[in-house]
Amino acid sequence: MKVCLVGNQNSGKTSLFNVLTGMNQKVGNWPGVTIDRKEGIIKSTDIQIIDLPGVYSLNPFTSEEKITRDFLLNEEYDVILNIIDSTSIERSLYLTTQLLDLNKNVVVALNMCDLLAKKGFHVHEDMLSKLLKVPVIKISALKNEGIDDLINAIKNQNNSYKSIKIFESDIENSIDKLSENIESNKRYNALKIIEDDTLYLKSEHPEAKEIIDNLYSRYQKRMDEVIADQRYNFIVKNKDKYFHADKDEETTSDKIDKVILNKYLAIPIFILIMALVYFLSVGLVGSFTVDGIDYLINLLKDSVENGLNSINAFPWLTSLICDGIITGVGAVLNFVPQLIILFICISVLETVGYMARISFFLDKVFRKFGLSGKSIIPFIVGSGCSVPGIMTTRTIENEKEKKTTIMLTPFIPCSAKLPIITLFTTFFFGSLAWLVSLSLYFLAIVIILLSAILLKKFYMKGESENYILELPEYKTPSFKYVSRDVIEKVWSFIKRAGSVIFICSILVWFLSSFSWTFTYGVPIEQSILASIGNILAYPFYPVIGELSWASTVSALLGLVAKEQVVSSMSVIAGLAETVEDGSLIFAQNGIFGFFTPLSAYSYMVFVLFSAPCIGAIGAMRREFKSLKTTFKAVAYQTLLAYILASLITGVGSLIMLFI
Amino acid sequence: MVITDLKLKQKAVISKINVKDQLLRRRMLDMGITTGTVVMVVKIAPLGDPLDISLRGYQLCLRKSELEQIECEVI
């Protein structure tokens, strides 16, 4: 048996999917978290379930909504599980009336009834079931209630459903008449002909014109409006049968919004919240973790080294394990505590319902720059990781705003760039580290806004039009989901350290320990890596104002994963190390000893804003659906970073000369 | 008058939908913006645009440029 899960955006679809399957898909509190279909098996059954992106109707508006419509019309399945957000029941049932047109078995799950009851409203599921002639089950996806009843209702479905009459008789008669000459999805397609929905199909039906003309002369309105109107009428005129209201008063969300969306407070509150997130993850915890780097790595390295020496292992093997693997992977793993804090903050922001508000009050500003208020969601998600950030752009209706957002999301420093920021700022700026990190985030914002203007002027010409967003109710973040979400993200970071970073570290170790004649133990300046880096160091000279093969190669390896920059630097510094004093990476006489606060800053600017990692480039390509556009975007990012970093070094050193 | 002429918390009923862009028009209809629907402006973004309107028991944010295309009468 195959079930597909359909509902409005932000109706708790994915929460229900997770409860039913025991899986842990991403949930959030803004419309459009699910952007692609996901499949699973309902626990202790053999029922297959497919989670489809949220839709408001079967007339798709954005690319991810099209996925759902096309699935429902063209694929094979047995039951539609329609989840309804009881707190906006009219609009939710509108979708239900469209699903009923498909002539499939429908089971309705009434979600968030507890939230509704708090507001003083009640839904009578029995009456609603009688009205729609399908089973209606009250559930709470969050509290895991009513799930067994729901599974039983799904099991008991047999293909016997007949559409109920929703419209006035003349429309219903026209549907019947048109259906005779339609092959599949009869009722749905007949309605599309009546609506004259040219976006969906060009009608070649023989009787269509006459029927449409007749209906038009009766209603004197475009039929798409009449159909939408009658669907809502069907829902509203029966509402007192299934819906009961105790009282009508201002909701808690409205009260909170009076402060959060206050004319004068909204933007200061936003800045405060974002600053707090980065103060917590970069400033407070960051300094501790960096102190831990050298200590922990050295501790582990020394003991392993002693161990291996005592059993007379090959010197190259000892070096591979200690200087390559432990140093490279360890350098990255030290940032885990910091990432946990960042991921918790982002996860809470996502689930509480604040994201949609930020989008709402920043829309006007963003529109001036050719972006949509909805662009802020990819940006904030992107501060965790660009890949899901870029994917979230699918909820942006306008194609130009969407493309601009995809191109700009990688400029947001993601969690993998955090190790770079932390490493440099704590060493070179000490107690001002958090301020310098913050300046990089602000620089990111400035770059994004200026790039958006440039793109709007030269590349994505034209005005933006559409913006439709539903403001969700505020919710207390569920501890369960936040912790699962954070664990999953941290785990994927650790897995990356164990796979990609692991292999890369070995590679860096190999290339910097061997010469072209494959002789082991040559001075690092004669290694393969150094000879490659020495050539590349010339074009890289303006960025740091220094010919340094080691930092050139490290920056380049950031393409694999941005945290690899830190990992490569540790491996190279470790191999080149002659004197053991203080910091491992930035030791005075060491290979990276030339870094000054100025060149450290411009190096960070280059690494942060140039081409993102391969994963993010792949995500860009998927969303652009064009290799050429992707290439242009990456070239633009890299060129911009190069110019900016060179400017900082150039102008900065000039100023230094005069003071 | 159009929806953007409404004062905060003023109730009105939609009288005509003049949206030219067909995709947007469809979406508005699907979201329950049909003639005869009672609407109310409940929140205004701090910078004056977009607006948050309540209709059919839920809230929806739209830009002023979109709401200007919807005629309504105060009730």
Side-chain angles (χ1 to χ4, degrees):
Chain A
M1 197 182 213
K2 207 166 176 181
V3 179
C4 50
L5 184 52
V6 185
N8 284 172
Q9 297 180 350
N10 212 29
S11 60
K13 242 174 349 80
T14 306
S15 298
L16 177 60
F17 180 81
N18 287 343
V19 170
L20 284 172
T21 59
M23 284 164 78
N24 184 26
Q25 295 292 352
K26 170 103 199 118
V27 295
N29 188 13
W30 79 80
V33 180
T34 307
I35 40 188
D36 216 341
R37 63 189 231 205
K38 295 181 182 106
E39 297 182 21
I41 302 285
I42 296 181
K43 269 190 283 189
S44 54
T45 66
D46 53 359
I47 305 170
Q48 195 188 356
I49 183 162
I50 297 139
D51 184 18
L52 294 167
V55 289
Y56 289 115
S57 87
L58 296 186
N59 307 309
F61 196 50
T62 56
S63 55
E64 98 274 10
E65 290 186 4
K66 201 165 167 299
I67 295 174
T68 304
R69 200 269 314 263
D70 292 347
F71 184 93
L72 288 172
L73 288 182
N74 305 327
E75 305 257 341
E76 289 290 322
Y77 54 91
D78 303 295
V79 178
I80 299 173
L81 174 54
N82 177 207
I83 182 168
I84 280 185
D85 171 2
S86 311
T87 59
S88 48
I89 194 154
E90 282 184 35
R91 202 206 49 230
S92 304
L93 287 173
Y94 177 86
L95 175 66
T96 311
T97 66
Q98 290 187 326
L99 295 174
L100 294 176
D101 290 339
L102 298 172
N103 260 324
K104 293 274 185 180
N105 293 302
V106 176
V107 174
V108 171
L110 275 176
N111 198 16
M112 306 194 208
C113 288
D114 40 347
L115 216 66
L116 191 71
K118 263 190 214 152
K119 287 174 154 187
F121 300 105
H122 303 282
V123 183
H124 303 298
E125 67 266 41
D126 304 345
M127 301 305 287
L128 190 59
S129 171
K130 236 179 240 172
L131 181 71
L132 303 173
K133 305 228 164 33
V134 298
V136 178
I137 317 286
K138 266 187 186 170
I139 61 152
S140 169
L142 210 61
K143 293 181 186 152
N144 209 342
E145 287 165 9
I147 304 300
D148 292 338
D149 294 343
L150 188 65
I151 295 175
N152 282 332
I154 294 169
K155 277 185 187 160
N156 292 333
Q157 288 301 300
N158 45 10
N159 291 310
S160 58
Y161 182 74
K162 273 276 160 279
S163 296
I164 49 162
K165 306 275 181 228
I166 290 164
F167 306 104
E168 287 179 21
S169 56
D170 48 355
I171 296 181
E172 288 291 349
N173 291 338
S174 307
I175 294 171
D176 291 343
K177 218 185 279 174
L178 286 166
S179 301
E180 287 165 17
N181 287 319
I182 296 172
E183 302 252 317
S184 60
N185 297 314
K186 286 170 185 271
R187 191 178 161 88
Y188 179 82
N189 282 321
L191 275 161
K192 286 282 138 197
I193 294 171
I194 293 173
E195 287 173 347
D196 195 19
D197 187 348
T198 48
L199 293 171
Y200 176 65
L201 76 151
K202 295 265 181 287
S203 164
E204 282 159 9
H205 197 280
E207 293 159 275
K209 195 170 178 334
E210 192 196 332
I211 289 172
I212 294 169
D213 289 347
N214 277 341
L215 288 172
Y216 185 79
S217 59
R218 154 120 163 68
Y219 288 103
Q220 296 293 325
K221 261 196 248 174
R222 291 215 345 231
M223 285 312 289
D224 56 353
E225 186 177 349
V226 176
I227 299 283
D229 202 32
Q230 291 199 4
R231 282 189 202 277
Y232 274 110
N233 281 345
F234 171 79
I235 296 159
V236 174
K237 81 174 180 242
N238 293 301
K239 196 173 176 183
D240 53 349
K241 288 185 198 152
Y242 61 79
F243 197 80
H244 175 72
D246 291 344
K247 55 189 176 190
D248 192 4
E249 61 175 39
E250 199 174 46
T251 63
T252 325
S253 285
D254 286 337
K255 283 178 198 153
I256 298 173
D257 276 341
K258 278 204 167 130
V259 182
I260 299 281
L261 293 178
N262 179 285
K263 212 172 174 173
Y264 305 104
L265 295 177
I267 288 168
I269 290 176
F270 168 64
I271 293 174
L272 209 70
I273 290 177
M274 293 323 282
L276 188 72
V277 169
Y278 296 111
F279 174 72
L280 283 178
S281 49
V282 182
L284 204 64
V285 192
S287 47
F288 288 113
T289 48
V290 158
D291 290 344
I293 292 181
D294 298 324
Y295 181 72
L296 282 175
I297 292 177
N298 285 332
L299 205 68
L300 186 66
K301 224 173 87 172
D302 289 347
S303 52
V304 174
E305 206 165 359
N306 290 336
L308 287 169
N309 284 340
S310 68
I311 57 163
N312 289 326
F314 296 114
W316 65 266
L317 187 67
T318 312
S319 174
L320 169 64
I321 292 174
C322 296
D323 305 327
I325 296 167
I326 296 178
T327 312
V329 175
V332 169
L333 286 183
N334 270 294
F335 292 93
V336 166
Q338 189 175 11
L339 293 184
I340 292 175
I341 304 287
L342 179 72
F343 291 146
I344 290 175
C345 292
I346 295 174
S347 194
V348 167
L349 279 183
E350 281 177 6
T351 42
V352 82
Y354 187 53
M355 298 283 244
R357 264 86 187 171
I358 307 173
S359 157
F360 175 63
F361 72 71
L362 287 182
D363 181 61
K364 193 180 179 185
V365 184
F366 274 39
R367 209 181 333 155
K368 287 213 169 75
F369 295 102
L371 296 163
S372 157
K374 288 187 189 172
S375 309
I376 193 77
I377 298 176
F379 292 160
I380 294 177
V381 174
S383 67
C385 175
S386 296
V387 176
I390 289 164
M391 280 161 70
T392 320
T393 58
R394 286 186 204 171
T395 54
I396 300 172
E397 301 89 350
N398 185 291
E399 205 51 33
K400 285 178 213 123
E401 292 171 344
K402 185 179 145 184
K403 280 193 170 155
T404 313
T405 311
I406 296 171
M407 197 174 279
L408 302 180
T409 301
F411 282 135
I412 294 284
C414 68
S415 61
K417 293 174 183 169
L418 210 55
I420 306 170
I421 297 177
T422 313
L423 176 73
F424 279 93
T425 53
T426 33
F427 186 82
F428 290 103
F429 301 97
S431 60
L432 290 176
W434 68 276
L435 199 66
V436 177
S437 329
L438 202 65
S439 82
L440 286 164
Y441 282 93
F442 275 107
L443 189 62
I445 294 167
V446 172
I447 290 177
I448 283 171
L449 294 182
L450 290 180
S451 303
I453 294 179
L454 277 176
L455 288 172
K456 191 184 172 195
K457 201 150 184 149
F458 297 108
Y459 195 57
M460 313 270 188
K461 287 177 191 148
E463 280 309 299
S464 64
E465 279 291 329
N466 302 341
Y467 176 83
I468 296 183
L469 178 77
E470 191 191 347
L471 278 193
E473 303 259 330
Y474 285 106
K475 289 197 190 96
T476 321
S478 142
F479 176 76
K480 202 172 93 195
Y481 278 121
V482 171
S483 52
R484 281 169 91 174
D485 186 39
V486 171
I487 289 169
E488 198 185 331
K489 283 179 185 163
V490 170
W491 182 232
S492 96
F493 183 85
I494 294 174
K495 271 195 293 194
R496 213 162 60 224
S499 53
V500 179
I501 306 296
F502 177 81
I503 292 167
C504 251
S505 301
I506 295 177
L507 193 75
V508 171
W509 171 86
F510 176 80
L511 292 176
S512 44
S513 302
F514 285 84
S515 70
W516 285 104
T517 53
F518 296 103
T519 332
Y520 170 71
V522 294
I524 196 160
E525 283 73 23
Q526 289 163 27
S527 67
I528 302 176
L529 199 65
S531 66
I532 300 172
N534 274 326
I535 300 165
L536 297 171
Y538 287 99
F540 202 67
Y541 178 81
V543 172
I544 42 177
E546 197 73 46
L547 275 177
S548 161
W549 67 268
S551 31
T552 310
V553 169
S554 302
L556 207 67
L557 283 167
L559 270 177
V560 175
K562 284 290 170 179
E563 67 267 36
Q564 179 63 41
V565 175
V566 172
S567 168
S568 307
M569 286 178 75
S570 323
V571 174
I572 295 173
L575 288 173
E577 188 83 0
T578 42
V579 272
E580 294 268 348
D581 63 335
S583 167
L584 175 87
I585 293 177
F586 295 115
Q588 280 274 303
N589 305 320
I591 200 153
F592 296 107
F594 69 89
F595 269 115
T596 61
L598 179 67
S599 53
Y601 196 83
S602 55
Y603 188 72
M604 278 193 288
V605 166
F606 181 80
V607 177
L608 258 42
F609 301 125
S610 61
C613 69
I614 296 283
I617 295 174
M620 285 166 77
R621 207 206 79 84
R622 279 197 298 280
E623 298 308 318
F624 278 137
K625 295 184 181 67
S626 150
L627 198 63
K628 208 175 132 198
T629 318
T630 312
F631 180 76
K632 277 189 199 164
V634 173
Y636 171 76
Q637 290 158 352
T638 309
L639 198 69
L640 184 92
Y642 185 79
I643 294 172
L644 202 65
S646 307
L647 271 177
I648 293 172
T649 303
V651 176
S653 2
L654 268 181
I655 295 172
M656 296 294 217
L657 277 182
F658 289 104
I659 50 173
Chain B
M1 70 191 306
V2 291
I3 291 189
T4 45
D5 299 329
L6 291 175
K7 292 192 193 86
L8 198 63
K9 305 273 170 182
Q10 198 173 26
K11 272 190 182 169
V13 66
I14 294 174
S15 54
K16 193 156 183 260
I17 296 162
N18 293 323
V19 181
K20 293 276 170 340
D21 178 23
Q22 207 188 334
L23 201 61
L24 179 64
R25 176 190 154 85
R26 266 255 54 122
R27 176 43 45 114
M28 284 188 172
L29 295 175
D30 286 337
M31 300 301 276
I33 303 178
T34 56
T35 43
T37 309
V38 178
V39 294
M40 180 168 75
V41 177
V42 282
K43 283 162 205 168
I44 301 175
L47 300 167
D49 190 14
L51 305 182
D52 186 40
I53 62 170
S54 96
L55 75 155
R56 302 190 180 276
Y58 78 101
Q59 297 182 0
L60 192 64
C61 307
L62 291 145
R63 286 179 182 165
K64 276 183 168 175
S65 58
E66 295 164 327
L67 292 169
E68 273 162 3
Q69 305 174 60
I70 301 167
E71 289 179 29
C72 64
E73 278 155 28
V74 176
I75 48 171

